[in-house]
Amino acid sequence: MICCALIAILFAPLLLLARACRGATRDPLAWRLHAPTLSSERPALSSHALSWRARIRSFSFAFAGLAFMLRTQPNAWVHLVATVLVICAGLLLPVSLSDWRWLIAAIASVWMAEAINTAIEHVCDVVSPQFNLSVKRAKDIAAGAVLVGAIGAATIGATVFLPYFGASISR
């Protein structure tokens, strides 16, 4: 149930953005360069599409996106500091493997939400450089999704670390 709510929160900005842009075009692929208009016109997969070089290149694009996010988003630095602190605390305390799984899931959810938020903000800025209430709402909702992920991660961190801190203090 919570997962469904988080997914809905993450995709709500895209739906608002699509609603705001509905009058612009009826072609859902219009944003692509040289987009086919009919499904029968789609080109067949080339042998290059599945090559190792293409896969490695796609990873370089992903790392470039993460680097851009770290360079341009101040909140990403906050998440980075929190991530480093959680990892250091986990290494200093005798955190169990099952607790590490929770911590990794919490860290990953915050980073995913921040990356999606950054992507939505940049798309919104391209679609509507001037002020648009729907774009503002989409950006606010995306930022809210990051907040929900961060609160959830903090809650997971507290439930994981409190017993370890209590045990280390009582020694």
Side-chain angles (χ1 to χ4, degrees):
M1 174 102 166
I2 293 173
C3 293
C4 294
L6 288 176
I7 290 170
I9 289 170
L10 289 174
F11 286 109
L14 294 175
L15 294 175
L16 286 173
L17 186 61
R19 185 178 296 159
C21 299
R22 188 176 297 163
T25 180
R26 295 286 180 200
D27 183 6
L29 299 176
W31 60 274
R32 294 185 183 179
L33 294 176
H34 311 295
T37 56
L38 298 175
S39 60
S40 62
E41 295 178 15
R42 290 186 181 162
L45 284 175
S46 68
S47 62
H48 298 291
L50 301 176
S51 72
W52 284 106
R53 184 175 292 155
R55 294 308 97 223
I56 291 170
R57 197 164 161 228
S58 69
F59 276 103
S60 71
F61 295 145
F63 286 121
L66 292 175
F68 176 80
M69 180 178 63
L70 281 170
R71 280 193 317 271
T72 62
Q73 302 300 308
N75 288 337
W77 281 95
V78 174
H79 300 312
L80 182 63
V81 169
T83 299
V84 169
L85 289 175
V86 166
I87 291 171
C88 289
L91 293 174
L92 293 174
L93 298 170
V95 175
S96 71
L97 182 61
S98 62
D99 286 339
W100 269 113
R101 291 180 188 124
W102 282 106
L103 293 174
I104 291 167
I107 290 168
S109 69
V110 171
W111 281 104
M112 282 192 311
E114 183 65 38
I116 291 169
N117 177 47
T118 302
I120 288 171
E121 285 180 355
H122 282 275
V123 168
C124 286
D125 291 342
V126 169
V127 169
S128 181
Q130 69 283 356
F131 178 81
N132 181 313
L133 185 59
S134 292
V135 169
K136 178 197 178 312
R137 288 182 179 151
K139 287 181 170 185
D140 290 348
I141 292 167
V146 177
L147 180 62
V148 168
I151 290 170
T155 305
I156 289 171
T159 59
V160 166
F161 283 124
L162 283 178
Y164 292 105
F165 285 133
S168 67
I169 291 173
S170 66
R171 284 190 224 169

